[in-house]
Amino acid sequence: MNKVIELKGIVKKFGTVYANDQISFDLSVGEVHALLGENGAGKSSLMNVLAGVYQPDDGEIIMNGERVTIPSPRHSIDMGIGMIHQHFKLVESHTVLENMIAGVKSRLFINYKKLGKELTELSQRYGLQINPFSELNMLSVAEKQRVEILKVLYRGAKILILDEPTAVLTPQETARLFDIINSLKSDGHSIIFISHKLDEVIEISDRITVLRKGKHIDTLKNEHLSPRSLTNKMVGKAVELKIERTKTDYQDILLEVNNLFVFRPDNSQALKGLTFKLKQGEILGVAGVAGSGQKELCEAIAGLQDKITGEILFKSENICGKSPRDIINLGISMSFVPEDRLGMGLVAGMDLVDNVLLKAYLKQPGIFVNRQEAQKEALNLIEKLNIDTPSVHTKVSKLSGGNIQKVLLGREIELQPELIITAYPARGLDIGSAHKIYDLLNEQKIKGNGIIFIGEDLDVLLKIADKIMVLCDGEVTGIVDPDLVTREDLGYMMAGKKLERGEVG
Amino acid sequence: MIRISKRLELPPYLQWLIRASSIIFALIIMSVFLLALGHNPIKVYSAMVTGSFGTFFRFRKTIELMIPLSITALGILVAFKMKFWNIGAEGQILMGAFAATFFALKFAYLPRPLLLILMAIGGSLIGGLWALIPAFFKVKYATNETLFTLMLNYIAIKWIIYLQYGPWKDPQQAGFPKIPDFSVNATLPTLGGIHVGWLILIALVIIAHIVMNKTKFGFEIAVIGESKNTAKYAGMSVNKVILSTLFISGALGGLVGMMQTSGVHGTLSTSITGGIGYTAIIVTWLAHVKVHLIPVIGLLFAVLIQGAFFIQTAFQIPHSVADILQGMILFSALGSEFFINYRLHLVKNRRAKRVVK
């Protein structure tokens, strides 16, 4: 088959770290080629080379048989490469159409009608179902993603790079995306599909390239592949992918939330009357499409939301509306691993010691801070969780995402809190570290501590949680027993449909 | 083609080497300018040094500049550490000076130690309250502190001018608008020929160093500076810390106001600051918002200012030339941070070719 792109021996260094070390990769016309690898394997770096964001330190890029350089994102777009980033690059307050023309060199006047027609046609051709005149902030996440696809198509992309596109989608929305990918493919587009989810990769791609720690491991035709063999290639060793659900006998209610409303700064409702209970020694999984109120739920319990009503009873003490300081003063030990690691959980510009100190200093006696104590704890964390850092005095912003994650999770779990609220604890971690975290959470559970586990990987939630609460647009669509439901069921619930069975209240 | 990329952290000695060479760079560029004006730059620079340290009188003048610069810079530092851009030190100094003058004029009969203490407390208190105004509005209504603190400077200046031309005008000056000179009781004593402000400066540097680096309060200031969300998350009373910090920031300015009236000028006028409130911002910034560097940079700028006065008389070089030099140093010192954080690469363009479809 015709190769549209060939990457040969691409090297990309950041200081002394090799993000890409002699990686070769090629893409044929009308092919879906998956790039598989753990976080930090070098997938994004490689694609940023194609997108013109990074310049490779060595290696060749060959497009349609000609050697090229891609000095800027603008060149990349001109060459027909369209990247759909994980975080959408769209202007929320504008219409779809306005988003299309932003940044495109155009004439002085715009014929909205004609352009709208063109876009509608383009959209229909690939089943995108996007109305060019709708405002962005009225669209769902899945629709915004399709707007991104429409945008790169409109700009003439023949090669589409999709960076972890399914991370924000329900299973049903994912299926729909795959239909779109297939119709693009049959129309002669070539697609690079980045993911770390094995089932999806096996479902959609023609070929699979596995990267590990910046190196090219293998490129395989997608025939008779099993998730297991791929995992082993991805991780580099045979791994036991088992998550235990330990049973505990605790009966006492640890946390009871009644009719909880949370309002956003613009007074719209982020949570609409949530009610649930959490027992000691229990893991409550929370599922939902990103932005369904998970963040507000966590922050409301942790005392970080201002406009809230309802009841949050921690061992029958109402902490609704109390600040984190108040909660600490009540003697409640609660840990919170927020989704925004560097903006909330950690201080990016401070070293490990000070970041450990952050959660310890209030309990230290006197007016002085005790950094020796914090340093000891930091060293303990480094050893226990294999944190890769030059020293305890390295700023956390200089660490990789996975290591930042470990610092935060480690600190919060080591506090031995009665309640742990954790948002996406495994995000950014390699499989080994993720399982280490699951083990640590299970350990806490056995000790009788309660855990609220906001998850994105439904398979993990189904395995680790004792019950799963599904959120859709700030409302609970159900609290179910993971043994009685499937991931598809959860998907339906995430889309707002009630389920008749499995309800545990 | 030149490409810019972020550097890994340079070793500290290299960082300081780059910063030091940036000052040398500024001096070299300035030399060209001085040559163009027909002066020998080496002579001018050495005259600036002898002008600052050559005699005890000059040395005293230099230290008298260094004291208010450094103390004001300390005050600015605590706010800047929290990323609260307090550029209202000028006004805080003047309001502190106003309060000190109030006691100096109305309670002149009190014994000297008591009066001086009253003046110091009054000056700090009013300076602190003056800084508390923008802090309160920032906390309550999220106003922009940069504009707010700056605007308050003008109010303070006009207030002093009002006093000078109105209620506090010295009747013995035969109509000349001037606030009366302080009595001996209201004058700061000297120690070793220089007013005792230098002792206060040493004490404040030590205290500030301990507070900022060793105490919970200092830690809270630093965390809030990095991220208010994180601070709240960690259980800090963010608003309380912001308000107390700004009070301290303004109080240090107010204390400077007291020292300038009582120790240097012996009266109140808008010229007691001599722009210290603004120059101290530069000092804080060049000291990298680090307490122990404040006196060093404070001294450097005192030499620049004092040296400029000297060369003005010795070489007939306009004082504004010294301002240009100050600006030059600031410009290249701040510019050097770019080279500390980023690297430049010259990229040889290997047959850059765009594919035309």
Side-chain angles (χ1 to χ4, degrees):
Chain A
M1 256 197 285
N2 278 338
K3 303 267 184 257
V4 273
I5 289 186
E6 278 178 273
L7 298 175
K8 285 186 181 166
I10 295 291
V11 176
K12 178 67 200 168
K13 279 190 291 187
F14 292 101
T16 54
V17 182
Y18 282 82
N20 292 149
D21 188 2
Q22 295 284 344
I23 292 187
S24 296
F25 178 88
D26 62 77
L27 184 67
S28 310
V29 178
E31 178 191 43
V32 178
H33 192 154
L35 207 49
L36 184 68
E38 295 193 293
N39 285 291
K43 296 168 295 187
S44 296
S45 305
L46 189 65
M47 288 306 110
N48 276 318
V49 165
L50 268 184
V53 177
Y54 293 157
Q55 301 306 312
D57 294 305
D58 200 5
E60 294 181 11
I61 306 171
I62 295 162
M63 278 192 81
N64 302 320
E66 255 191 294
R67 187 170 161 181
V68 295
T69 55
I70 309 176
S72 76
R74 163 74 60 196
H75 288 85
S76 175
I77 293 168
D78 289 348
M79 290 173 185
I81 300 170
M83 184 144 174
I84 288 122
H85 294 269
Q86 220 172 340
H87 301 283
F88 306 142
K89 318 261 179 213
L90 297 166
V91 186
E92 284 285 319
S93 55
H94 283 185
T95 65
V96 173
L97 190 143
E98 285 162 337
N99 268 286
M100 296 297 141
I101 51 181
V104 178
K105 273 181 233 161
S106 64
R107 283 137 289 162
L108 193 54
F109 298 101
I110 300 155
N111 186 341
Y112 282 89
K113 223 170 162 181
K114 187 169 151 241
L115 200 57
K117 225 178 114 201
E118 274 173 37
L119 287 170
T120 312
E121 276 169 20
L122 197 60
S123 158
Q124 275 167 358
R125 194 152 136 210
Y126 301 109
L128 294 169
Q129 293 194 358
I130 293 293
N131 174 3
F133 296 103
S134 41
E135 286 222 1
L136 252 283
N137 44 28
M138 305 302 288
L139 302 182
S140 72
V141 174
E143 284 171 315
K144 282 177 193 165
Q145 190 175 56
R146 298 205 293 271
V147 172
E148 281 280 16
I149 295 175
L150 185 63
K151 186 168 85 180
V152 299
L153 289 176
Y154 174 68
R155 291 179 180 181
K158 296 296 282 178
I159 299 157
L160 281 81
I161 305 170
L162 296 151
D163 189 3
E164 307 250 357
T166 59
V168 290
L169 304 179
T170 66
Q172 286 78 12
E173 287 167 339
T174 301
R176 174 123 191 243
L177 174 69
F178 285 179
D179 288 342
I180 294 168
I181 290 179
N182 281 324
S183 76
L184 284 167
K185 185 176 136 180
S186 56
D187 202 39
H189 290 83
S190 313
I191 286 131
I192 303 175
F193 184 85
I194 305 177
S195 182
H196 61 255
K197 294 185 184 166
L198 304 164
D199 303 326
E200 289 173 359
V201 165
I202 291 174
E203 187 184 336
I204 190 73
S205 45
D206 300 305
R207 280 191 302 160
I208 297 167
T209 289
V210 183
L211 302 184
R212 188 199 321 142
K213 294 194 172 141
K215 289 202 167 67
H216 178 260
I217 301 300
D218 209 345
T219 298
L220 307 150
K221 270 218 170 99
N222 189 2
E223 286 162 1
H224 320 295
L225 290 175
S226 74
R228 170 148 299 264
S229 63
L230 277 178
T231 310
N232 292 350
K233 280 197 192 298
M234 204 162 106
V235 182
K237 57 186 180 233
V239 284
E240 195 59 40
L241 277 180
K242 230 175 112 198
I243 303 171
E244 296 271 343
R245 187 189 306 139
T246 30
K247 282 282 165 221
T248 60
D249 297 325
Y250 299 93
Q251 289 306 322
D252 292 344
I253 299 290
L254 181 68
L255 185 80
E256 190 177 342
V257 171
N258 289 320
N259 208 23
L260 176 69
F261 282 84
V262 174
F263 301 90
R264 297 193 188 91
D266 64 359
N267 284 326
S268 62
Q269 294 179 342
L271 287 181
K272 304 166 182 169
L274 239 62
T275 298
F276 66 90
K277 290 191 182 81
L278 174 71
K279 275 193 290 202
Q280 282 192 302
E282 190 175 56
I283 296 182
L284 171 72
V286 178
V289 182
S292 299
Q294 295 97 323
K295 176 169 166 274
E296 287 81 3
L297 172 63
C298 297
E299 293 188 2
I301 300 171
L304 291 159
Q305 285 283 342
D306 297 329
K307 295 183 187 170
I308 67 177
T309 63
E311 264 188 333
I312 302 171
L313 302 172
F314 186 94
K315 291 187 168 169
S316 58
E317 176 108 42
N318 192 358
I319 57 168
C320 184
K322 293 215 172 0
S323 74
R325 179 68 153 250
D326 298 335
I327 294 172
I328 294 169
N329 287 342
L330 283 170
I332 293 170
S333 73
M334 182 196 294
S335 273
F336 174 28
V337 179
E339 183 184 354
D340 186 2
R341 321 286 188 212
L342 289 183
M344 179 174 273
L346 298 169
V347 185
M350 291 187 172
D351 63 9
L352 272 71
V353 176
D354 277 3
N355 271 292
V356 169
L357 191 61
L358 193 65
K359 268 308 188 68
Y361 89 100
L362 270 178
K363 293 186 190 106
Q364 292 177 344
I367 61 160
F368 293 103
V369 290
N370 182 345
R371 284 202 169 80
Q372 266 92 40
E373 227 174 63
Q375 176 155 356
K376 239 190 265 163
E377 178 59 29
L379 286 167
N380 171 37
L381 289 182
I382 291 175
E383 205 193 348
K384 197 162 176 182
L385 292 173
N386 262 327
I387 297 170
D388 192 6
T389 171
S391 91
V392 280
H393 296 299
T394 307
K395 286 181 186 172
V396 288
S397 60
K398 303 263 174 192
L399 302 182
S400 74
N403 284 306
I404 288 172
Q405 173 79 334
K406 286 185 196 171
V407 173
L408 176 58
L409 273 162
R411 182 189 75 195
E412 292 301 307
I413 295 176
E414 286 296 299
L415 289 169
Q416 308 281 345
E418 288 176 271
L419 172 64
I420 302 176
I421 305 163
T422 167
Y424 316 110
R427 187 184 278 178
L429 294 183
D430 56 75
I431 292 187
S433 304
H435 281 247
K436 175 103 196 171
I437 297 297
Y438 300 145
D439 290 345
L440 284 176
L441 289 175
N442 270 326
E443 252 173 54
Q444 293 300 316
K445 176 178 154 180
I446 292 166
K447 287 184 185 156
N449 300 324
I451 296 155
I452 296 178
F453 185 118
I454 314 286
E456 50 193 343
D457 189 331
L458 296 178
D459 295 319
V460 170
L461 275 180
L462 284 168
K463 282 180 200 151
I464 199 170
D466 295 294
K467 55 188 185 189
I468 298 177
M469 174 164 79
V470 183
L471 292 180
C472 174
D473 197 21
E475 279 177 287
V476 176
T477 29
I479 300 176
V480 293
D481 183 339
D483 287 335
L484 301 177
V485 296
T486 62
R487 43 177 286 145
E488 281 68 32
D489 293 337
L490 290 179
Y492 279 114
M493 293 170 74
M494 283 159 74
K497 298 191 182 73
K498 299 258 183 215
L499 208 64
E500 298 302 319
R501 64 209 156 77
E503 189 70 31
V504 291
Chain B
M1 193 170 68
I2 296 173
R3 278 205 315 113
I4 300 161
S5 69
K6 214 157 162 81
R7 266 187 211 279
L8 293 179
E9 204 151 353
L10 281 176
Y13 78 92
L14 260 180
Q15 293 187 21
W16 287 108
L17 200 70
I18 292 180
R19 281 173 198 139
S21 43
S22 77
I23 295 190
I24 293 169
F25 174 78
L27 291 175
I28 291 172
I29 297 287
M30 200 60 195
S31 306
V32 179
F33 186 57
L34 285 170
L35 278 172
L37 291 178
H39 296 286
N40 179 345
I42 294 169
K43 268 192 188 159
V44 171
Y45 291 148
S46 63
M48 285 181 84
V49 175
T50 53
S52 306
F53 299 111
T55 64
F56 181 76
F57 174 77
R58 294 177 194 161
F59 175 68
R60 197 191 89 196
K61 283 286 172 203
T62 308
I63 298 300
E64 277 181 1
L65 273 166
M66 174 199 175
I67 296 167
L69 263 179
S70 305
I71 297 181
T72 310
L74 285 178
I76 292 171
L77 176 138
V78 289
F80 275 22
K81 193 81 193 172
M82 205 170 60
K83 301 227 165 76
F84 188 107
W85 307 117
N86 173 19
I87 56 170
E90 191 84 358
Q92 289 143 21
I93 293 171
L94 285 174
M95 291 313 279
F98 150 67
T101 306
F102 173 79
F103 286 107
L105 299 180
K106 311 286 172 189
F107 296 88
Y109 52 83
L110 288 175
R112 192 173 184 185
L114 184 63
L115 180 58
L116 285 174
I117 288 171
L118 262 182
M119 286 165 66
I121 291 175
S124 309
L125 189 73
I126 298 299
L129 290 177
W130 196 248
L132 216 47
I133 302 170
F136 170 80
F137 280 91
K138 167 96 177 180
V139 164
K140 194 91 183 156
Y141 304 107
T143 51
N144 178 318
E145 76 272 17
T146 317
L147 279 173
F148 210 130
T149 50
L150 181 68
M151 292 301 153
L152 282 178
N153 287 348
Y154 299 109
I155 297 177
I157 291 169
K158 296 296 172 193
W159 171 239
I160 302 297
I161 292 175
Y162 163 72
L163 291 174
Q164 186 182 340
Y165 282 79
W168 284 5
K169 189 160 90 173
D170 188 353
Q172 288 164 9
Q173 293 288 337
F176 183 70
K178 183 187 175 310
I179 293 171
D181 287 334
F182 289 7
S183 65
V184 181
N185 276 2
T187 310
L188 270 185
T190 58
L191 193 69
I194 305 170
H195 74 78
V196 292
W198 64 270
L199 268 181
I200 298 174
L201 170 62
I202 294 174
L204 283 175
V205 168
I206 295 170
I207 294 170
H209 184 78
I210 293 172
V211 169
M212 296 310 287
N213 298 305
K214 308 274 179 213
T215 66
K216 292 181 177 179
F217 182 60
F219 183 64
E220 287 176 336
I221 291 176
V223 172
I224 292 173
E226 288 276 343
S227 157
K228 279 188 196 157
N229 268 338
T230 309
K232 242 186 262 168
Y233 162 86
M236 296 176 185
S237 311
V238 177
N239 290 350
K240 226 155 97 189
V241 177
I242 292 180
L243 293 173
S244 350
T245 304
L246 257 288
F247 180 80
I248 293 170
S249 177
L252 285 166
L255 184 65
V256 168
M258 178 267 173
M259 288 178 356
Q260 287 300 94
T261 48
S262 171
V264 182
H265 294 265
T267 182
L268 171 64
S269 74
T270 52
S271 63
I272 60 151
T273 66
I276 284 166
Y278 298 113
T279 313
I281 298 172
I282 306 175
V283 172
T284 312
W285 207 250
L286 288 188
H288 276 248
V289 203
K290 290 203 169 76
V291 175
H292 61 279
L293 293 175
I294 293 270
V296 181
I297 309 288
L299 182 64
L300 174 75
F301 270 75
V303 169
L304 275 178
I305 298 168
Q306 180 56 29
F309 281 123
F310 184 75
I311 57 170
Q312 194 174 4
T313 43
F315 295 85
Q316 267 79 51
I317 296 175
H319 191 263
S320 46
V321 171
D323 289 341
I324 296 177
L325 179 56
Q326 263 187 38
M328 206 56 139
I329 290 180
L330 182 68
F331 179 79
S332 48
L334 294 183
S336 74
E337 297 301 314
F338 175 82
F339 295 96
I340 289 170
N341 292 317
Y342 296 94
R343 268 171 61 180
L344 296 182
H345 312 255
L346 278 173
V347 182
K348 273 170 260 146
N349 235 354
R350 292 177 305 199
R351 270 207 313 145
K353 223 180 189 181
R354 283 171 58 173
V355 170
V356 186
K357 280 182 296 187

